[in-house]
Amino acid sequence: MYEPIRDKSVHSTVDGPNPDFPHRSREEELDIQLAGHLAALLAVTDELRAAQASADLDTAAERLAEQVGRLRGGRTPVRASTSGRRDRGTAALHRRAHALAGRALVVAASRADTAAAILAAERMDAHTAALEPRELASR
């Protein structure tokens, strides 16, 4: 009733993985994802530094740059210039940074990267603390 398949399948290879197609491990994918979240957090931190000078933000930016560099094999991340100030509210930036730090924390935890997880948790706490007085005053 059915004719047997005579040709090789186009959907899978019998010979194993194709050497022309790049394959990454789960760890490599998590490294890339974590570096991306931390780099985005660094960009928002640089924006906050431009809006309000703070030793805490300076230290956080350096630590974030160090972690991104470590995850990217020693390549230093591109930094936002602090001279061109954008007219965004700092509360919105703190909320954005809090969300990014939360994402980084989730990936760092699944990757079992203690240093990145601690840094992300500290940044979440710092941005929460920066938002609390504003949100209480607006009620």
Side-chain angles (χ1 to χ4, degrees):
M1 180 165 194
Y2 292 105
E3 189 173 332
I5 297 173
R6 296 179 188 172
D7 295 328
K8 289 184 178 179
S9 172
V10 296
H11 299 291
S12 64
T13 60
V14 178
D15 301 332
N18 185 352
D20 297 333
F21 186 73
H23 293 282
R24 291 189 284 252
S25 68
R26 182 174 186 276
E27 282 295 314
E28 291 169 324
E29 290 292 337
L30 289 174
D31 283 349
I32 292 166
Q33 193 175 25
L34 181 57
H37 289 315
L38 291 176
L41 180 57
L42 176 60
V44 174
T45 302
D46 283 340
E47 270 191 76
L48 278 167
R49 288 176 55 224
Q52 61 186 33
S54 165
D56 178 51
L57 289 173
D58 293 341
T59 304
E62 291 307 315
R63 289 178 63 202
L64 287 166
E66 178 183 303
Q67 288 297 318
V68 172
R70 177 182 62 87
L71 290 166
R72 290 185 175 166
R75 293 188 325 242
T76 57
V78 176
R79 301 289 299 270
S81 86
T82 56
S83 60
R85 291 179 65 175
R86 284 195 219 165
D87 200 17
R88 275 176 81 175
T90 57
L93 289 172
H94 281 294
R95 281 192 291 278
R96 176 83 176 128
H98 184 273
L100 288 166
R103 290 182 188 125
L105 178 60
V106 169
V107 176
S110 68
R111 190 184 167 278
D113 188 335
T114 307
I118 289 171
L119 178 58
E122 288 173 358
R123 296 317 309 150
M124 285 182 73
D125 290 343
H127 294 296
T128 299
L131 285 171
E132 284 177 353
R134 288 187 181 98
E135 290 183 358
L136 291 175
S138 67
R139 289 183 186 172

